[in-house]
Amino acid sequence: LGNLDGFPSRISWSGGGSNIDKFNWRYGGGYVDIDKDSGDRITGLIEFQEAIVVFKERSIWKVTLAASGSLVIPTVTLVIRGVGAVSHRSIKPVENDVFFLSRKGVYSLGNEANYLANVLRTNELSAKIRPVFETLSPSQLEQSCAIYQGNKYRLSYPSGGSAINNKEVIYDRERRAWMGPNSYPATPAVYEVYYDGAGVENLVWGDSDDNFV
């Protein structure tokens, strides 16, 4: 769990097994505050490479947990300052990386060739469509949502004066190219991949404007 009530820089974990619902240190749970005096709140978490990646609005952190007797000890490492995620719904695993939307556009997080394997690095993916995101307000950026499906990272966001998602851009990972912005009769507020009874993969989304899927 992250960004707890009254503790915007805190993550908390529970014990395992029968203690899955217990967060006390005695049961293998615990918490840690991450750069709590920076004024930068946690916006999302994702498990990645046997660690917890913690996204704030303007920084990214890596947390590893190790057992020491009956206690679980966290180790917190800064990945980068100046880049973070603005919406937890934009943070998605993409093959061996993680994609996310920052205030500067879409970035990837992962390992990079010619660098140590355990060193995480970020790279901007949306430089060619940067003007799309430069026009969005902080509240519009927070509404964005994404999914990775069919080798494509799809991102929906509000544009113009809209307070709900009404546009979508798509990054084709195989071709390393962007498509859009696109408009649809029903624009995603949240995406999901659904497998029907025949095992066929379907992309579905909840409409930004009503309760329909």
Side-chain angles (χ1 to χ4, degrees):
L1 303 176
N3 194 350
L4 308 178
D5 287 343
F7 302 95
S9 292
R10 178 171 295 182
I11 67 166
S12 180
W13 60 91
S14 69
S18 60
N19 296 322
I20 192 67
D21 59 342
K22 297 180 176 67
F23 290 82
N24 190 282
W25 294 98
R26 293 181 299 167
Y27 301 103
Y31 68 85
V32 64
D33 292 311
I34 299 175
D35 201 28
K36 66 178 182 178
D37 296 324
S38 65
D40 194 13
R41 65 185 176 93
I42 292 173
T43 55
L45 310 172
I46 192 170
E47 182 183 356
F48 185 61
Q49 297 183 354
E50 299 182 351
I52 303 167
V53 176
V54 180
F55 291 87
K56 291 190 158 194
E57 287 192 57
R58 295 178 294 277
S59 60
I60 304 173
W61 303 77
K62 177 181 175 181
V63 179
T64 55
L65 304 176
S68 178
S70 60
L71 299 178
V72 174
I73 308 300
T75 299
V76 179
T77 306
L78 175 65
V79 175
I80 188 172
R81 287 194 188 276
V83 175
V86 291
S87 170
H88 69 276
R89 291 184 297 271
S90 74
I91 304 168
K92 298 297 173 182
V94 176
E95 306 299 333
N96 296 319
D97 299 319
V98 174
F99 285 13
F100 62 95
L101 178 64
S102 76
R103 291 187 179 277
K104 302 177 181 180
V106 177
Y107 277 68
S108 67
L109 173 72
N111 302 121
E112 189 170 336
N114 303 320
Y115 286 88
L116 295 175
N118 62 344
V119 175
L120 297 178
R121 297 178 63 83
T122 59
N123 286 291
E124 184 181 5
L125 300 175
S126 59
K128 292 182 178 180
I129 61 167
R130 193 179 295 156
V132 168
F133 303 108
E134 290 177 340
T135 63
L136 303 183
S137 69
S139 61
Q140 287 178 315
L141 290 168
E142 290 177 8
Q143 292 298 316
S144 65
C145 66
I147 196 166
Y148 180 64
Q149 187 257 352
N151 295 314
K152 296 178 177 63
Y153 176 81
R154 310 174 74 105
L155 179 75
S156 180
Y157 60 92
S159 70
S162 178
I164 61 174
N165 295 347
N166 61 0
K167 295 287 185 180
E168 182 192 60
V169 289
I170 303 172
Y171 180 71
D172 188 319
R173 187 176 176 277
E174 291 183 326
R175 296 172 177 82
R176 298 185 180 183
W178 286 93
M179 297 175 283
N182 303 317
S183 299
Y184 306 109
T187 310
V190 61
Y191 294 94
E192 190 55 77
V193 172
Y194 164 71
Y195 294 89
D196 62 24
V200 177
E201 181 179 287
N202 298 276
L203 175 65
V204 298
W205 62 71
D207 187 11
S208 298
D209 205 22
D210 52 43
N211 295 321
F212 292 105
V213 174

